[in-house]
């Protein structure tokens, strides 16, 4: 069963069919009840009309054997006195139920005619001689007339006569039309409802299949991408402008971001391998020479290569932590004090700062300022200026130098990993090309930005913007 309804299409078809089935059953029951009630009401009206016609004749003094309603053409009629004795009945009436008496043959009254002063508890409302009761009492029963048995709707009407006392007239109207109409309607429903449910199920199945066809295409393409590991492929986007089209579009955006991330990681591994290979090769060469000729050992060069390896390894480790989603803590950091601390001991660096606090990691923000100052000193002619100020709800740290500046076309490229401009390609002066990439990643992790522009002295200006604490 779980496998049978394991698809969205099957569950949608089952759900739609059940909902329509419940609605049809409820509507059908309401229609049948309403139809039956209306037909019974019409039969009751007809029976009441016949009963009042006979009651009018009795009020006018018409003898029992001359009553026009006793011919049995419109239905069974009974006239009962106040002692519940049958005094008149329809011709050919053989059996009856649903009235006060089951008698079918009139019986003579025990009291003299005209004795209408009986205060029996069974008498109806008090009426004047010749008056007919305004209320009718309805009941259901059956009667057999000339061998034909049918169900009837009976109406009882009371009348006060001048010479025969208090009488009650029962008249019936057949319910054959009601039974026939209800049976016909029920038959139509029993035949039509299953057909309608079959149509609903078929239409829902086809519509759902058509609606989910693009989803199956997306699934197949994703399976093919997973199998081939070709992240350049994209899933088909249906031209429907609906939720499935938006799903396909979002899936392609995710694939594009994944492709970019994977390509970035591949470049990162390749560049890191390249950067590590040079100092390792240099250090190995020096150690091999020293092993063969101890007097030729370049101790300073070996130490320098080791320090460079240590810094590169630390940078790679920090980038790995940032890529893993490491979030900074919420400690308050005074950027002015941090700027002065990082500038202390550096030649040609001046600081103009006002106290501004931000939330974040003091160590990571200090690393940003250190990287910006290292970059500025590497390219400055003589002076580097650090400013810390408040702009609205942001803290702004500016690091400017008086060097040649950064060409406008390279102001975004310099923040990529292992990117070094031509002027900074040497191993000694250019570094590994990770400092600015680390600085921007840390800024983004702290909810801020890091941009490059032109400084007041014509050199480069790097601005770090962070939300205030």
């Amino acid at each position: 069963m779980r496998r049978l309804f394991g698809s969205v299409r099957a569950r949608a078809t089952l759900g739609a069919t059940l909902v329509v089935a419940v609605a049809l059953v409820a509507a059908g029951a309401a229609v049948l009840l309403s139809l039956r009630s209306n037909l019974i009401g019409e039969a009751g009206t007809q029976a009441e009309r016949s009963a009042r016609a006979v009651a009018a004749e009795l009020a006018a003094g018409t003898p029992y054997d001359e009553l026009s309603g006793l011919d049995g053409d419109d239905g069974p009629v009974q006239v009962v006195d106040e002692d519940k004795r049958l005094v008149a009945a329809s011709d050919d009436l053989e059996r009856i139920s649903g009235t006060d008496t089951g008698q079918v043959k009139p019986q003579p009254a025990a009291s003299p005619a005209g004795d209408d002063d009986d205060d029996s508890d069974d008498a109806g409302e008090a009426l004047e001689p010749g008056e007919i009761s305004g209320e009718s009492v309805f009941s259901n029963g059956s009667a057999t007339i000339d061998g034909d048995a049918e169900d009837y709707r009976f109406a009882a009407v009371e009348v006060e006569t001048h010479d025969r006392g208090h009488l009650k007239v029962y008249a019936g109207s057949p319910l054959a039309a009601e039974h026939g109409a209800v049976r016909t309607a029920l038959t139509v429903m029993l035949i039509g409802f299953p057909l309608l449910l079959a149509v609903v199920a078929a239409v829902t199945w086809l519509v759902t299949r058509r609606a989910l066809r693009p989803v199956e295409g997306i699934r197949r393409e994703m399976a093919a991408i997973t199998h081939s590991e070709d992240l350049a492929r994209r899933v088909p986007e249906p031209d429907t402008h609906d939720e499935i089209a938006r799903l396909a579009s979002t899936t392609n955006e995710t694939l594009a971001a994944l492709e970019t991330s994977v390509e970035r990681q591949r470049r990162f591994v390749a560049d890191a391998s390249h950067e590590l290979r040079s100092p390792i090769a240099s250090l190995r060469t020096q150690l091999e020479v020293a092993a063969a000729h101890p007097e030729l050992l370049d101790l300073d060069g070996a130490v320098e290569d080791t320090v460079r390896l240590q810094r590169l390894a630390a940078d790679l480790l920090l980038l790995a932590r940032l890529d893993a989603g490491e979030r900074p803590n919420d400690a308050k950091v005074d950027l002015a004090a941090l700027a002065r601390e990082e500038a202390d001991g550096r030649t040609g660096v001046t600081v103009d700062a006002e106290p501004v606090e931000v939330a974040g990691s003091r160590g990571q923000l200090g690393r940003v300022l250190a990287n910006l100052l290292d970059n500025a000193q590497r390219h400055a002619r003589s002076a580097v200026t650090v400013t810390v100020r408040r702009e609205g709800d942001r803290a702004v740290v500016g690091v400017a130098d008086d060097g040649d500046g950064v060409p406008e076309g390279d102001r975004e490229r310099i923040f990529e990993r292992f990117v070094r401009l031509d002027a900074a390609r040497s191993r000694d002066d250019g570094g590994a090309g990770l400092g600015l990439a680390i600085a921007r990643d840390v800024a983004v992790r702290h909810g801020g930005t890091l941009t490059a522009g032109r400084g007041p002295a014509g050199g480069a200006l790097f601005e770090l913007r962070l939300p205030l604490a």
Side-chain angles (χ1 to χ4, degrees):
M1 183 64 68
R2 179 179 299 177
R3 185 177 181 86
L4 179 62
F5 296 103
S7 67
V8 174
R9 182 169 52 183
R11 291 196 297 270
T13 302
L14 177 62
T17 305
L18 288 178
V19 169
V20 174
V22 171
L24 288 177
V25 170
V31 169
L32 290 177
L33 291 176
S34 177
L35 177 63
R36 184 173 182 275
S37 176
N38 290 336
L39 292 177
I40 289 178
E42 291 180 5
T45 301
Q46 180 63 35
E48 183 182 19
R49 188 181 299 115
S50 300
R52 290 189 177 278
V54 174
E57 293 181 356
L58 291 173
T62 303
Y64 294 134
D65 56 357
E66 297 181 7
L67 294 175
S68 61
L70 300 184
D71 54 11
D73 294 338
D74 295 332
V77 175
Q78 285 182 312
V79 180
V80 180
D81 64 9
E82 54 192 354
D83 294 327
K84 296 185 179 182
R85 286 188 293 268
L86 183 68
V87 295
S90 297
D91 298 338
D92 300 326
L93 179 62
E94 301 174 1
R95 187 178 294 106
I96 192 170
S97 65
T99 60
D100 281 348
T101 177
Q103 301 174 10
V104 295
K105 297 299 182 182
Q107 296 180 352
S111 58
D115 185 9
D116 56 356
D117 294 332
D118 186 5
D119 294 332
S120 172
D121 292 339
D122 293 332
E125 60 181 296
L127 300 174
E128 297 294 330
E131 184 180 1
I132 301 174
S133 173
E135 296 181 357
S136 302
V137 179
F138 296 95
S139 61
N140 292 333
S142 62
T144 302
I145 300 178
D146 198 17
D148 294 330
E150 290 188 38
D151 293 329
Y152 287 88
R153 179 69 168 172
F154 291 103
V157 177
E158 297 181 359
V159 58
E160 187 73 28
T161 62
H162 293 280
D163 56 349
R164 285 166 288 189
H166 192 88
L167 302 176
K168 181 182 289 188
V169 180
Y170 290 93
S173 178
L175 293 176
E178 178 264 338
H179 292 331
V182 171
R183 282 195 299 269
T184 301
L186 182 59
T187 301
V188 171
M189 290 179 183
L190 292 177
I191 296 175
F193 282 6
L195 295 178
L196 183 57
L197 289 177
V199 172
V200 169
V203 171
T204 305
W205 179 268
L206 294 176
V207 171
T208 308
R209 177 184 180 184
R210 181 178 181 85
L212 294 178
R213 186 178 301 164
V215 176
E216 179 60 22
I218 294 173
R219 187 202 64 79
R220 286 197 301 266
E221 186 63 24
M222 288 296 295
I225 292 173
T226 302
H227 180 72
S228 65
E229 298 183 359
D230 183 8
L231 295 178
R233 299 174 61 170
R234 298 292 181 265
V235 300
E237 296 186 21
D239 189 21
T240 53
H241 306 288
D242 56 6
E243 293 82 355
I244 297 178
R246 292 194 291 273
L247 171 63
S249 176
T250 303
T251 302
N252 284 334
E253 292 175 1
T254 303
L255 288 173
L258 182 60
E259 181 186 15
T260 301
S261 176
V262 170
E263 185 61 29
R264 182 182 180 186
Q265 291 297 325
R266 288 173 179 171
R267 290 198 308 267
F268 177 79
V269 171
D271 292 338
S273 300
H274 176 75
E275 292 295 333
L276 288 170
R277 182 175 57 184
S278 296
I280 290 175
S282 175
L283 184 58
R284 177 181 178 180
T285 300
Q286 295 180 55
L287 293 176
E288 288 176 349
V289 170
H293 305 283
E295 70 278 2
L296 299 179
L297 174 62
D298 183 7
L299 186 57
D300 293 336
V303 171
E304 182 180 345
D305 286 337
T306 304
V307 171
R308 185 178 177 215
L309 277 174
Q310 183 180 10
R311 289 177 178 174
L312 183 57
D315 288 345
L316 293 176
L317 180 59
L318 177 57
L319 285 173
R321 292 205 308 267
L322 294 176
D323 288 342
E326 181 180 280
R327 309 301 299 181
N329 53 41
D330 294 331
K332 290 185 178 180
V333 180
D334 185 352
L335 289 181
L338 187 61
R340 294 189 182 94
E341 179 182 326
E342 293 297 332
D344 187 30
R346 294 178 182 264
T347 304
V349 178
T350 59
V351 178
D352 180 13
E354 61 177 276
V356 178
E357 286 188 342
V358 297
S361 170
R362 182 180 179 84
Q364 291 185 9
L365 293 177
R367 182 66 177 275
V368 172
L369 289 175
N371 288 355
L372 294 179
L373 286 172
D374 289 343
N375 181 77
Q377 285 187 301
R378 186 178 300 119
H379 297 89
R381 292 190 177 93
S382 59
V384 175
T385 303
V386 180
T387 59
V388 181
R389 67 186 186 276
R390 183 193 305 263
E391 284 188 5
D393 61 346
R394 293 273 168 168
V396 181
V397 179
V399 179
D401 60 67
D402 58 354
D404 295 331
V406 182
E408 187 173 354
D410 295 326
R411 289 177 182 173
E412 280 298 315
R413 195 168 69 89
I414 59 175
F415 292 106
E416 297 178 8
R417 299 175 182 182
F418 298 105
V419 170
R420 293 171 294 186
L421 301 185
D422 292 340
R425 276 293 179 182
S426 69
R427 188 190 72 174
D428 295 334
D429 297 331
L434 293 176
L436 294 179
I438 292 174
R440 170 165 280 189
D441 283 354
V442 172
V444 172
R445 291 295 189 276
H446 283 74
T449 59
L450 178 62
T451 58
R454 186 175 180 82
L461 170 63
F462 290 88
E463 286 190 333
L464 171 66
R465 297 176 180 269
L466 297 172
L468 294 175

